Amino acid sequence: LTFGWGEPCDFWPAEIQKEDGLCRSFTLMHRGEALCRLTIHVPGEHNILNAVPAAAMAWLLGVAPEAIAVHLAQFTGAGRRFEVLGKVRGVTIVDDYAHHPAELAATLRAAKELGFRQVWAVFQPFTFSRTYLLLEEFAAALSIADQVVLSPIMGSREKNQWGIRSEDLGAKLPGCVCLPGFPEMADYVMENAQEGDLVLTLGCGDVYKCARMMLLK
């Protein structure tokens, strides 16, 4: 069985509509037949494509379409996956685990669709080797954001045999700011972000600590 964006897949989403806030709705299709209308409360096309096989599997296991719709609408996301932490002076703080260029691009594109004044990417690069090898890809993904703030690279198990620094990535992003630690990053973002902005902390390390610092500003 297959799923995707349309025929000839077995399951696909049709009549996709953007609702208020993070909501999206669509009709789940199965071989030309509409099964049910579904609503999800997590943003981005990638999450629509996640919802299609989840709903399809439930239906194949005998769950009624009406029940699928009710329960899918109650799902508001997993921890560190576009996790809305709160709002400070009109600035929305969200944390996400995205750390690979493809994940970053998907998350930032989803954020840009939500109607915020500006989208801030507060990113902690993970491992020297990945940052070095995917430098251009990281730059392309982060360029989707309106503002970028970078922490030092989290080396984890690695030694920096490549001589790579966050500043090398920042040099490819006009207006990017590289700061030495989370306190400085939190201060900078909250001093410069404006009402109606979305701030996304991004990375698989401990950058979520920076998000929590921002909530206290």
Side-chain angles (χ1 to χ4, degrees):
L1 295 172
T2 60
F3 70 94
W5 288 114
E7 297 183 87
C9 297
D10 294 303
F11 297 92
W12 73 91
E15 301 172 335
I16 299 170
Q17 291 185 347
K18 180 179 179 180
E19 310 290 348
D20 293 337
L22 306 183
C23 297
R24 300 290 185 275
S25 64
F26 63 91
T27 299
L28 178 64
M29 303 295 296
H30 175 239
R31 298 176 180 168
E33 177 186 354
L35 292 181
C36 55
R37 187 75 184 168
L38 301 174
T39 299
I40 60 172
H41 292 271
V42 285
E45 290 187 345
H46 60 295
N47 278 315
I48 294 174
L49 209 57
N50 285 338
V52 168
M57 282 300 300
W59 181 74
L60 289 167
L61 290 169
V63 181
E66 297 80 8
I68 295 170
V70 168
H71 289 285
L72 189 61
Q74 294 173 357
F75 177 71
T76 57
R80 300 218 66 212
R81 288 298 187 188
F82 217 93
E83 184 179 3
V84 180
L85 300 179
K87 186 178 286 190
V88 180
R89 298 189 304 277
V91 177
T92 301
I93 311 296
V94 173
D95 182 52
D96 196 278
Y97 190 76
H99 57 282
H100 184 277
E103 291 178 322
L104 288 170
T107 300
L108 289 170
R109 287 194 191 102
K112 292 284 284 185
E113 295 175 357
L114 298 177
F116 287 92
R117 194 191 74 88
Q118 284 197 322
V119 173
W120 291 68
V122 180
F123 179 53
Q124 180 188 41
F126 183 73
T127 72
F128 303 112
S129 58
R130 177 180 291 173
T131 307
Y132 176 78
L133 292 168
L134 300 178
L135 191 66
E136 297 298 332
E137 290 87 344
F138 276 120
L142 289 168
S143 68
I144 296 168
D146 300 297
Q147 305 286 342
V148 180
V149 178
L150 298 178
S151 77
I153 299 169
M154 186 177 189
S156 185
R157 64 195 178 277
E158 294 183 343
K159 294 182 179 179
N160 191 6
Q161 65 189 62
W162 299 269
I164 188 75
R165 303 182 305 151
S166 290
E167 285 78 3
D168 298 312
L169 176 56
K172 297 180 177 294
L173 296 162
C176 178
V177 175
C178 298
L179 293 168
F182 296 155
E184 295 86 353
M185 294 165 69
D187 286 343
Y188 176 83
V189 172
M190 297 312 294
E191 287 169 3
N192 290 278
Q194 299 182 35
E195 184 176 353
D197 285 1
L198 170 66
V199 176
L200 271 165
T201 53
L202 299 156
C204 64
D206 58 351
V207 70
Y208 61 87
K209 296 176 182 177
C210 186
R212 282 158 174 74
M213 291 177 185
M214 293 177 197
L215 292 173
L216 301 176
K217 299 297 179 183

